[in-house]
Amino acid sequence: MRRIPIAVSAALVAVPLVVAVFGPLIDLRVSPGLPYATEGVLGTDGLGRDVLQLLLSGGRTALGMAFGAVLIAYLVGGLIGLTAASTRHRWLDEALIRPLDVLLPLPSLLVISVVAVGWRASAFAITLAVAMVNVPTVARLVRAAALDAASGPVVEALRMQRESWFGIHLGYVGRAVLGPVAADIGTRITLAVFLVASVNFLGLGLSPTAPDWAVSVSRNREGLLLQPWAVLAPAFLLVSFTLGFNLLADRLVHRSRRLTEANR
């Protein structure tokens, strides 16, 4: 099957990303109107708020929480994985990885929902919960990718030259895991967007009046036949971002595989 051109994939990601980054800087100053009215470019939502203004201000949480969660997951899980791969003590490797194996079977959405209920309307709590459910898989991925490089002769030579731990593992070993990590980040950000949107859509996350895209879809679905743009517009931005990022991640995976095969 012919692949979708990369320009199309990039455009699918760029449109919601630009809206999320620059949208909050734009204030249309539209006064509230009647619920589900057709006034304005995209009409109003169930509370009479301008849908276009909600789209411009709702992407910061919808995508920002997902990016923040992946960043935290890699800061924590990546450090655990590198430490486990580089240690010469098997007990330390087991102590770092085995507790994470206990967390792997836990349903991600259930864990995040419990945290969201406990800390209602807290964007930081949801971001942290999404990050924590991703830490085990990130740690195992980084450990597996770094194991060969961390136990190779180059690392031994760098140790004999008294290079620092960070210099060795964030320098030489870090370059070795860059391909698999780059490919994984694409799919992990998509998963994080899905998890954040699911919690908000179920009404367990942010406040029901928040301009978040998933919250807008959830709150206005009853008026879909009256004013469809209140649901379709934010849903389109979420689907566009996840679809485009999946396509770009797929290309990264194929490129990583080709580089791996070429280096053998």
Side-chain angles (χ1 to χ4, degrees):
M1 184 178 69
R2 186 179 179 181
R3 289 188 185 178
I4 297 177
I6 191 170
V8 176
S9 304
L12 290 173
V13 174
V15 171
L17 196 58
V18 168
V19 172
V21 173
F22 298 105
L25 304 178
I26 303 173
D27 186 1
L28 300 179
R29 298 186 182 278
V30 179
S31 301
L34 296 174
Y36 299 126
T38 57
E39 301 171 358
V41 179
L42 297 176
T44 62
D45 71 344
L47 298 177
R49 300 174 298 180
D50 184 67
V51 172
L52 181 57
Q53 184 67 70
L54 293 175
L55 290 182
L56 294 174
S57 57
R60 179 167 292 180
T61 54
L63 302 185
M65 291 164 64
F67 278 101
V70 173
L71 177 61
I72 295 172
Y74 263 95
L75 288 176
V76 177
L79 183 59
I80 293 174
L82 280 177
T83 304
S86 62
T87 183
R88 298 180 177 181
H89 305 288
R90 184 175 179 82
W91 66 265
L92 180 57
D93 185 11
E94 296 285 336
L96 290 171
I97 297 300
R98 293 308 171 196
L100 299 181
D101 291 343
V102 178
L103 301 176
L104 278 174
L106 296 178
S108 300
L109 190 56
L110 177 61
V111 173
I112 298 168
S113 299
V114 171
V115 173
V117 171
W119 287 271
R120 192 64 181 271
S122 173
F124 177 75
I126 298 172
T127 301
L128 196 59
V130 174
M132 289 304 101
V133 299
N134 280 283
V135 164
T137 50
V138 168
R140 293 189 68 85
L141 170 73
V142 172
R143 178 184 177 277
L147 205 54
D148 288 341
S151 58
V154 176
V155 170
E156 291 297 328
L158 291 173
R159 283 173 177 162
M160 293 179 64
Q161 295 174 8
R162 299 186 181 277
E163 289 285 342
S164 67
W165 188 94
F166 288 99
I168 296 173
H169 294 91
L170 296 183
Y172 172 72
V173 180
R175 289 195 298 271
V177 304
L178 192 59
V181 165
D184 178 71
I185 285 177
T187 55
R188 201 156 299 281
I189 288 178
T190 302
L191 175 62
V193 171
F194 167 76
L195 290 173
V196 170
S198 297
V199 172
N200 289 332
F201 178 80
L202 293 173
L204 301 174
L206 299 177
S207 168
T209 60
D212 181 86
W213 293 342
V215 174
S216 296
V217 173
S218 175
R219 185 172 182 83
N220 297 304
R221 64 183 186 273
E222 294 86 356
L224 180 61
L225 298 180
L226 297 174
Q227 216 292 78
W229 287 116
V231 174
L232 296 181
F236 168 78
L237 291 175
L238 284 171
V239 172
S240 174
F241 181 83
T242 54
L243 177 60
F245 227 104
N246 263 324
L247 294 172
L248 291 178
D250 181 65
R251 286 181 174 271
L252 279 175
V253 170
H254 284 287
R255 180 170 296 182
S256 176
R257 289 174 179 173
R258 287 199 300 268
L259 289 175
T260 303
E261 293 174 356
N263 291 331
R264 288 178 178 175

